[in-house]
Amino acid sequence: MNGKRGPRSLGIVLGTMAGMFILAAIACAIAMFFITEPSAAIPEKGLYVVVREGAGAALVGRDLEGSGAIRSRLAFQILARLRGVESALKSGTYLVKPGMGTWQVLDLVVSGKQALVRVTIPEGYTLSQTAAVLEKYGICKASDFKAIAGDAGFIAGLSIKAASLEGYLFPDTYYFPPQFDAKEAATMMVEAFRAKLKAAIPEAGLLSGEELQEKVILASIIEREYRVPAEAPLMASVFYNRLRIRMALQSCATVVYVITEKLGKPHPEVIYDRDLAIPDDYNTYSHRGLPPGPICSPGLTALGAVFHPAATKYLYFRLIDAKAGTHHFSETLEEHNEATALVVKRVGGQ
């Protein structure tokens, strides 16, 4: 034998190589399909996915495939390895948009650019109203948020001397990831309260937890009473003067809180005598002193008013211009009795 291959053997080799080439081309085509072709399960509005803390490429790929964000977990894992980004995947919530293939999804997770939802909590919102807004925007369930806001252990961990986070959920605009943890959302809002208060009213940091709670309670009442910012310090002086002589605060806002938050009834247009007689610790017509807790989340105007009240002898105020929101302040009951109806403030444009 001379070791030379005949035409037949050469044909077999070439045929085998051609077959392997075809198989390789098919494999590449399949791989490219899974890498570049977006998943058909991504809806038109996009798909929110969660990358867990400390999860590797295999686990992340499995979760993404399970949610329908990518076509193949294996393609995701191989692509992450080839690109050397297996350890660069960042936890968080992401929005996978229609048209995004595995390559783009991997880029998104490596970038750390999370999907955030803009949520505004108006001044004067109660805990239940805040929870409803968070649920409306898909941040967390209202029931979960209210539960954590009343959890004694969680509240103590935030160094707040209160039975609830009512009053400490600072009204502001936040950017939350969708499907966020209720505990994390509450923590962010309390941290915002502390940061804003420290910046605007540095002396607040000198108060004990109990002293701060009293300020927040009174600020929450003023928040629901004032309409013109310049009048907030005047209202604070009225309430401080009443507390000083052990006179009932007689705030319509606390009655509204009882009606809407304790009794679950609609927000009243007018307060009647029968409402003033509702037996509840939050009703400052039937109970002297401050109510047991805040009735809403006050903003900086109301908080500033309780720390820097006006120096007056006023004991009364009443609304004199519903459209302008201005009040008349007086020292005597006779002047105050000129009011013919008690008009209550609404919040958040309601």
Side-chain angles (χ1 to χ4, degrees):
M1 297 180 63
N2 57 14
K4 294 182 179 179
R5 295 179 178 173
R8 183 179 179 183
S9 60
L10 182 59
I12 293 174
V13 171
L14 292 175
T16 302
M17 291 178 64
M20 293 176 64
F21 177 80
I22 293 172
L23 290 174
I26 293 174
C28 287
I30 294 174
M32 289 302 295
F33 173 80
F34 282 113
I35 290 174
T36 61
E37 192 68 17
S39 169
I42 302 174
E44 289 185 8
K45 62 180 181 180
L47 178 68
Y48 287 109
V49 296
V50 178
V51 174
R52 289 179 272 178
E53 184 74 36
L59 181 56
V60 173
R62 188 187 71 183
D63 289 344
L64 291 174
E65 182 186 67
S67 67
I70 60 174
R71 290 180 175 272
S72 168
R73 69 181 78 177
L74 180 60
F76 180 88
Q77 189 176 355
I78 291 174
L79 184 60
R81 179 174 299 177
L82 290 175
R83 294 181 57 187
V85 296
E86 288 179 293
S87 60
L89 307 181
K90 297 177 177 64
S91 61
T93 302
Y94 299 91
L95 176 62
V96 178
K97 300 178 180 180
M100 293 179 67
T102 302
W103 191 292
Q104 289 82 9
V105 174
L106 178 60
D107 282 342
L108 181 64
V109 175
V110 170
S111 74
K113 295 179 180 178
Q114 296 190 49
L116 299 175
V117 179
R118 187 177 187 270
V119 179
T120 297
I121 305 300
E123 294 178 345
Y125 258 34
T126 63
L127 168 60
S128 63
Q129 288 174 315
T130 300
V133 170
L134 294 177
E135 180 168 284
K136 174 183 176 181
Y137 285 92
I139 307 304
C140 61
K141 291 183 179 179
S143 58
D144 291 344
F145 188 81
K146 288 190 287 187
I148 198 62
D151 183 275
F154 177 65
I155 295 171
L158 294 173
S159 299
I160 292 176
K161 299 295 183 179
S164 165
L165 292 183
E166 183 87 82
Y168 295 89
L169 305 167
F170 192 75
D172 205 351
T173 295
Y174 297 89
Y175 291 87
F176 293 116
Q179 303 170 35
F180 200 37
D181 182 73
K183 184 180 295 186
E184 294 295 330
T187 299
M188 284 179 63
M189 299 181 78
V190 172
E191 288 177 348
F193 167 83
R194 284 206 170 96
K196 297 286 187 177
L197 188 63
K198 181 180 179 180
I201 313 170
E203 61 267 33
L206 302 175
L207 300 182
S208 67
E210 291 80 5
E211 290 171 329
L212 179 60
Q213 170 74 342
E214 291 181 354
K215 295 289 189 185
V216 174
I217 292 174
L218 187 53
S220 73
I221 295 174
I222 294 172
E223 179 63 57
R224 295 300 296 265
E225 291 280 6
Y226 90 86
R227 299 190 184 186
V228 178
E231 293 185 348
L234 294 172
M235 291 182 177
S237 74
V238 169
F239 290 131
Y240 276 127
N241 290 338
R242 288 189 168 207
L243 288 170
R244 192 174 298 114
I245 63 174
R246 293 186 55 77
M247 179 180 176
L249 295 183
Q250 296 183 340
S251 166
C252 300
T254 63
V255 178
V256 172
Y257 182 82
V258 173
I259 293 172
T260 59
E261 300 298 316
K262 306 291 287 296
L263 302 180
K265 296 181 179 180
H267 194 297
E269 295 295 335
V270 177
I271 297 293
Y272 297 98
D273 287 343
R274 63 176 181 271
D275 300 318
L276 305 183
I278 297 174
D280 192 280
D281 289 345
Y282 277 83
N283 184 346
T284 57
Y285 275 85
S286 56
H287 290 80
R288 287 190 177 92
L290 295 171
I295 61 172
C296 70
S297 291
L300 289 178
T301 296
L303 287 167
V306 300
F307 279 92
H308 305 115
T312 77
K313 294 182 180 180
Y314 294 144
L315 288 175
Y316 306 93
F317 62 84
R318 67 180 178 87
L319 186 66
I320 56 173
D321 188 330
K323 185 175 181 180
T326 53
H327 294 76
H328 176 74
F329 294 81
S330 59
E331 297 180 18
T332 66
L333 180 60
E334 289 75 19
E335 187 177 357
H336 175 70
N337 282 339
E338 293 179 9
T340 57
L342 300 175
V343 184
V344 296
K345 175 188 176 185
R346 289 183 176 275
V347 295
Q350 295 184 11

